[in-house]
Structures are given as structure tokens and as C-alpha cells.
Amino acid sequence: MSVTPGRTHVDHLIVGAGFAGLAAAIKLDEAAERDFVVIEKDSDVGGTWHINTYPGAECDVPSQLYSYSFALNPGWSKVYSPQQEIWDYTRRVAEESGTLDRFVFDTAVLDARWDDAAQRWIVRTEGPDGPREYAARTVIAGAGGLSEPRLPEIEGIDGFQGEIFHSARWNHDVDLAGKRIAVIGTGASAVQLVPELQKVAGHVDVYQRTPNWIIPRNEREFSSIEKTVFAKVPGAQRALRSLVYATLEARVPAFARFPVLMKAVEAQGRKNIAKGISDPELRAKVTPAYRAGCKRILISNKWYPALDADNVDLVTDPIAKVTGDAIVTADGVERPIDVLVVATGFYVTEPPIAQHITGREGRTLADVWDGGGMAAYKGTTIHGFPNLFQIVGPNTALGHSSMIFIIESQVRYVVEAAKALRREGLAAVEPTQAAQDAWTAQIRRKMKPTVWQTGGCASWYLDKFGNNTTLWPGQTFTFRQHLSKFDLDKYDVQVSHQREAVNA
Ligand code: N01
């Protein structure tokens, strides 16, 4: 292979320093695969938990499950951890891992292109010192499934003269006290931030397109005795973790096979509405008309009381346009505002990063997926894209449990793949088309009876073809089982061109 001057050669290039990238770095390091670099566009580790700093940001997966299995945290303050605590946790884990010397912050990956002659990924980045180029044997993409804010396409929104920002890019310089604020969206982010805005704003208009099922959040702080037990009694925290894990897994049949069981969740949701809202008209507006679970089930004790407050209006008329200082709804009503918060979610089924990854045949991942939707073998590897490993790839996300379990399962698989490459002396692996197609067909089959396909809603889980290409349609331990060993027999392999030449 010819070496281009100015290129940095590494074995593994990891994109993103969130839970996925950090786990990949730590586990590669442990496996003596130490020649890697982690490229992170932001200034620190933590990914979504570093970026999402909106008021009230907390995890809705129980704390005991929301940590790496190899780095339990006895110090969680509450049953559901706040954003800052999770970010602090990732920083601590990163520091203790001894891998931070290979992290490059404030640097964006511009594009990645497979060079078949060199059998390397050529990755261009842009950071504080300008552009840079890497040649990497593998690319491990851990950029996150919910990282690219989706801004709503609403007439006039670009001409809004007040402060406007996305929930995932909170502008802390804006003083919200006494202001007239509009929030577009009523998803997981809005449900957490609106109750905080209600406390300080003069008035809040919440624009709801579709209501969500929202059940109570069984929140409490861990006592100092509990924390001491977690820290000092061997196995105690792990036992609780297992119990939480099993409880969440027990919900899977209702999501995946028997959606009618979700009626129990709907009853909980209705009770939550009745408890939090006194006005029958408002109660009706927030009651969903689809099966619970079809969209992500949210948990909150604060959302309904916030909507019921005197300084909050829930607006359900569709937004017609945004003017310089107001939102106008289809019924012609104009509501003046100072601040506009767009809590409208993320690009999920058409991830922008896919436009910048070019595979073996010169096609981008976006081009390949455009024809039939996102697909990857075991949610991790993609035909036509040798040595590309996607963490939190297609059909790996969860509606019921912790993504960290999935991430760790995938990272194990990737490390096994890296070991196999070395052991077998291979230059590259990519799943066969047949293996990938069979995997995708199996996912589609399993997806058919799920609440996500049958529940009667539109959700960010579904792509433009109506397929759920985001969620894993089963128990998480099944996913782990599938990825427990690297199945080289399902892969097309490349030996190094140098070796080919020697053998010729
Ligand atoms: O985004 P969303 P999110 N005009 O896509 C509405 C994770 N998360 O940031 O439902 C008007 O859920 C849209 O309406 P509709 C979690 O996985 C986790 O809240 O499409 N409205 C919806 O109400 C979550 O699921 C945590 O009809 C428009 C909202 O905007 C995921 O991130 C916390 C619109 C978008 O909701 C995303 O959550 C936060 C338009 N043009 C997030 N476009 C925790 O762990 C969109 N909407 C706690």
C-alpha cells in the first residue's frame, strides 16, 4: 500500500465519543487493539448526554441499567438520573479508562470513503488545526441515532425575529424569565422541558400535533444507606440491576406480539391524565387515539400539571406559519411570542451521516438505503461497506430498556471482528448480501405483529416505506445472543493485496 504524506494511519477510527464510541475505545484497548483514534465533533465525551442540556433533561431508563456493565455507578442520586450526572459518569469512566489520549475533540468527520486499492477507509476531518486525513483499517461509527436535530419545515420560520433554538441545542444565554415562549412538539424532550419553562415563563404555548401516552414516573432519591450498600455489599447493585433488567424485559411481549396487553398501559395513562388535569376539554385533547407503545411511552408526573397551569395553553390547531414575532394557526389565530423552542426530534431513518460514507462501489450509504430503507447485518455491518461497523445501527434501538445493553453487545461483536481480522490475516470483511437480506427479512417478519406497525400511529420509528427500521423487535438478550460471536462464515473476506501479490 502506498502511504500518502500527511495521512495519519490507524487501525481503527471511531466516530463519536458518546456511550457507543467510548465503549468501543475501552474494549478495543482491553483487547490490545490500541491503535485507534476517536473523533468527536463536540468538546467532550458523553454524546447526547453532553449535548442535551435543556432544562429538566433526565433519563427515562432507570439509573441502575443506565451504566456500562463493566463500570457500575453506586452513586446515582435517583431512580432516574439527571443529564449532568450521566455526563459526569461518562467523563469519569473515560478518565479512568486511560484511553483519552486517543480522543480528538472539536473535530467533525467530513466524509469517509473506502479505498479498495489501499484496503483502507480514507476519512477526512475538520478540527481546530484545520483539515486532516486518516487512513483506517476499520471505521466504527458511533455517531448516535438521535443526534441530528430535525427542524420543522414551517412557512416563515426562518424569518422569526425572536430567539429560536432546538431542544437539543439549548441556548442558555437566553433569559426566559417572564417571556412568552412557544414550544413546538410534545415528545420526550418537550415533556421534560415544558414543566421547567412553565415555572419561569410569563406564558407558554405548547403546540401539539399528536398526543403521547404518558404514565407516572416512579421517581425517588436513593438514600445514603442504599448508596453505601451498592458500593460496599458485593453483588447488591448487580442484583438490583438484574431485577430492573428482568422487569423491563417482561414488557417485550406486549410491544412485540400482543399489543392488546397495552390496554393496561392506556389505563395508567388515563389515570395520569385525570390526576394531572382538571379541565375535561384539555383531558380530551391530550388523550391519544392509538395503541399505547406505538409511539414511545413517556413517563412524567409533571407534564399534565404543567399543561393545566394558568400560564400554559395547549394548542392543537395545526401551525399555518410563523411570522417575525408570532405563530399563526390554521384557524387564523395569531399568538405573539418572544422565544420559540423547537422540540421536534431528530433525523433517524435517514441519518445525514449516511450521505458522507462511500462504500466499495462508490455509492454512499444514503444512496444504498434510499432504495429500500436502512438495513445492516445484525444492525452492525453492511454489504458493500467493508470494515464498517455501525453501533446503534438499523433495528437496534429500544422502546423498553437501556441502549447501553445493546451498545455493549455490538461492541463485543466489533472487537471479535477486529480479532478475527488479525487472527486470519484478513484485510477486510463485509457481510454477504444473502446474509444481510436474510437478517432483514427476519426482522421484517418479526416486526409485523408489533405495536409499532399495528398500533395506528405515525412515529419516528417508521421510515418513508412504512417499515420500522429503527427498533429491535424482541428481547435484548436475544440480540446479545445473535451477536455473541463474530460469524466469519457470513462474510465476504479480502486478503491483503500485498499478500495476493506475494502468493501470485
Ligand atoms: O422528539 P420526538 P424528542 N409541526 O420525535 C412534533 C429520546 N429522548 O426530542 O408526534 C408540529 O419524540 C412531533 O409531533 P408528532 C427518546 O427516544 C429520550 O422529544 O410527529 N409538530 C412530536 O411531538 C425520544 O423518543 C429522553 O405528530 C412537529 C415532537 O415534535 C427521542 O429522543 C429525553 C413537527 C418530536 O418528538 C426523541 O424525542 C428526550 C411539525 N412540523 C429524548 N415536527 C429521555 O431519556 C415534529 N413535531 C428522557
Side-chain angles (χ1 to χ4, degrees), residues 277-341:
I277 294 179
S278 48
D279 173 16
E281 209 177 307
L282 185 55
R283 282 183 182 172
K285 280 185 181 177
V286 298
T287 305
Y290 55 85
R291 183 100 297 160
C294 184
K295 283 165 154 336
R296 189 178 174 94
I297 297 169
L298 308 182
I299 53 171
S300 174
N301 304 330
K302 299 177 184 168
W303 170 247
Y304 295 130
L307 294 186
D308 210 32
D310 290 341
N311 64 338
V312 177
D313 281 331
L314 182 76
V315 184
T316 53
D317 289 299
I319 297 170
K321 63 175 177 183
V322 176
T323 67
D325 62 355
I327 294 184
V328 182
T329 40
D331 56 357
V333 176
E334 179 169 337
R335 293 177 179 83
I337 46 167
D338 308 303
V339 180
L340 174 50
V341 176

Side-chain angles (χ1 to χ4, degrees), residues 49 54 58-61 146 152-154 167 184-190 192 207 209-210 212 295-296 319 343-346 460:
W49 297 103
Y54 61 77
E58 295 192 333
C59 191
D60 59 9
V61 172
L146 298 166
E153 286 168 19
I154 299 173
S167 55
I184 302 179
T186 53
S189 302
Q192 294 189 326
Y207 288 83
R209 195 162 64 177
T210 321
N212 283 291
K295 283 165 154 336
R296 189 178 174 94
I319 297 170
T344 45
F346 303 88
W460 60 257

Side-chain angles (χ1 to χ4, degrees), residues 31-246:
E33 291 282 339
R34 302 211 167 91
D35 182 19
F36 62 80
V37 64
V38 182
I39 308 291
E40 168 58 54
K41 67 178 163 33
D42 295 306
S43 58
D44 206 339
V45 298
T48 197
W49 297 103
H50 172 223
I51 300 301
N52 275 272
T53 59
Y54 61 77
E58 295 192 333
C59 191
D60 59 9
V61 172
S63 312
Q64 296 304 341
L65 263 193
Y66 213 80
S67 63
Y68 294 122
S69 64
F70 53 86
L72 297 197
N73 176 21
W76 294 125
S77 65
K78 302 197 293 176
V79 170
Y80 295 98
S81 307
Q83 168 263 332
Q84 178 77 44
E85 251 181 70
I86 301 175
W87 179 29
D88 289 345
Y89 166 80
T90 57
R91 295 167 87 182
R92 214 168 42 243
V93 171
E95 271 159 28
E96 287 169 7
S97 73
T99 58
L100 274 176
D101 56 331
R102 281 152 282 171
F103 283 55
V104 181
F105 292 108
D106 297 309
T107 299
V109 170
L110 301 178
D111 50 40
R113 179 177 51 82
W114 176 254
D115 180 335
D116 220 18
Q119 295 175 307
R120 292 285 185 278
W121 282 98
I122 307 303
V123 183
R124 295 190 310 132
T125 67
E126 178 76 46
D129 304 327
R132 206 164 164 182
E133 204 167 90
Y134 291 88
R137 282 198 318 133
T138 78
V139 166
I140 300 162
L146 298 166
S147 60
E148 287 289 340
R150 182 189 276 278
L151 300 172
E153 286 168 19
I154 299 173
E155 184 191 326
I157 198 163
D158 293 338
F160 181 66
Q161 300 295 306
E163 299 289 348
I164 176 169
F165 45 88
H166 189 274
S167 55
R169 300 287 182 273
W170 200 263
N171 184 349
H172 290 275
D173 293 337
V174 177
D175 179 11
L176 299 168
K179 295 278 165 52
R180 296 167 305 177
I181 306 172
V183 178
I184 302 179
T186 53
S189 302
V191 159
Q192 294 189 326
L193 64 91
V194 167
E196 301 307 312
L197 296 184
Q198 183 273 326
K199 291 180 198 161
V200 297
H203 186 85
V204 185
D205 288 323
V206 177
Y207 288 83
Q208 172 187 279
R209 195 162 64 177
T210 321
N212 283 291
W213 284 107
I214 304 174
I215 58 174
R217 187 178 179 91
N218 293 322
E219 181 69 291
R220 68 176 184 85
E221 294 196 352
F222 288 118
S223 67
S224 53
I225 295 175
E226 282 173 303
K227 287 190 235 175
T228 308
V229 169
F230 294 153
K232 304 263 179 258
V233 179
Q237 190 174 24
R238 222 167 265 284
L240 177 57
R241 182 178 163 98
S242 302
L243 185 66
V244 174
Y245 175 77

Side-chain angles (χ1 to χ4, degrees), residues 312-493:
V312 177
D313 281 331
L314 182 76
V315 184
T316 53
D317 289 299
I319 297 170
K321 63 175 177 183
V322 176
T323 67
D325 62 355
I327 294 184
V328 182
T329 40
D331 56 357
V333 176
E334 179 169 337
R335 293 177 179 83
I337 46 167
D338 308 303
V339 180
L340 174 50
V341 176
V342 285
T344 45
F346 303 88
Y347 287 99
V348 183
T349 55
E350 289 165 25
I353 192 175
Q355 295 164 11
H356 306 289
I357 300 177
T358 305
R360 186 169 41 75
E361 290 168 355
R363 295 176 74 202
T364 66
L365 197 48
D367 283 342
V368 171
W369 283 348
D370 193 43
M374 296 196 296
Y377 180 58
K378 300 195 170 177
T380 312
T381 52
I382 303 156
H383 181 73
F385 295 79
N387 290 1
L388 174 67
F389 300 92
Q390 214 191 349
I391 314 289
V392 191
N395 292 109
T396 60
L398 300 176
H400 74 283
S401 188
S402 171
M403 279 310 294
I404 299 171
F405 187 93
I406 295 289
I407 287 170
E408 283 192 41
S409 310
Q410 290 190 279
V411 165
R412 277 185 206 184
Y413 188 74
V414 174
V415 170
E416 288 305 311
K419 285 187 194 166
L421 280 167
R422 201 170 288 286
R423 188 181 59 241
E424 307 291 330
L426 297 171
V429 288
E430 68 175 85
T432 64
Q433 187 71 61
Q436 185 174 315
D437 289 349
W439 176 262
T440 305
Q442 190 192 359
I443 296 265
R444 295 268 164 92
R445 226 175 14 254
K446 289 210 162 132
M447 204 57 88
K448 273 192 185 141
T450 66
V451 70
W452 310 302
Q453 298 280 165
T454 63
C457 75
S459 78
W460 60 257
Y461 300 148
L462 307 181
D463 66 11
K464 62 182 178 183
F465 304 103
N467 292 319
N468 185 335
T469 53
T470 53
L471 295 186
W472 171 246
Q475 243 99 20
T476 57
F477 51 80
T478 323
F479 182 80
R480 179 158 289 185
Q481 225 167 9
H482 279 297
L483 275 76
S484 60
K485 70 173 186 41
F486 184 68
D487 38 359
L488 192 56
D489 57 320
K490 296 283 192 280
Y491 282 78
D492 289 332
V493 301

